[in-house]
Amino acid sequence: MGKYIIKNTDDKEVSTDILKLHYGILWETMLDRLTPRPDGYLLRIKRKGKRYRIFREPFEEK
C-alpha cells in the first residue's frame, strides 16, 4: 500500500527487514490493515529489548 518507515528510540530510520523478522512474510499485509494517525504513526514494536516506532508515509494523489 504505502512506504513504511521504522524509527528506533534515537529517531533514526532502520530497515523494514526488522518487520519481516518480527511478523514474518505477511508483515506488509498486516500493516496495510491498520489506520494511521494523522502523522502516519501506526504502532510500536519491541524486539530484543529495543523499541521501534512504525509509520506509514501519507499517500499523495496525482
Side-chain angles (χ1 to χ4, degrees):
M1 180 174 197
K3 180 181 175 195
Y4 293 95
I5 300 168
I6 298 86
K7 294 184 178 183
N8 62 16
T9 53
D10 297 329
D11 212 30
K12 294 183 180 179
E13 286 188 32
V14 296
S15 171
T16 56
D17 291 340
I18 194 164
L19 296 175
K20 194 171 188 179
L21 294 171
H22 193 75
Y23 291 110
I25 59 172
L26 297 176
W27 70 267
E28 198 166 9
T29 304
M30 190 277 302
L31 291 179
D32 285 347
R33 293 177 176 213
L34 297 176
T35 304
R37 293 182 187 171
D39 63 355
Y41 176 80
L42 292 172
L43 59 106
R44 180 175 42 210
I45 62 171
K46 189 173 183 180
R47 177 131 179 104
K48 294 188 177 183
K50 296 182 181 180
R51 292 186 176 165
Y52 301 92
R53 293 175 295 144
I54 304 169
F55 297 86
R56 184 186 303 141
E57 279 191 354
F59 178 72
E60 296 179 19
E61 291 187 35
K62 295 182 180 183

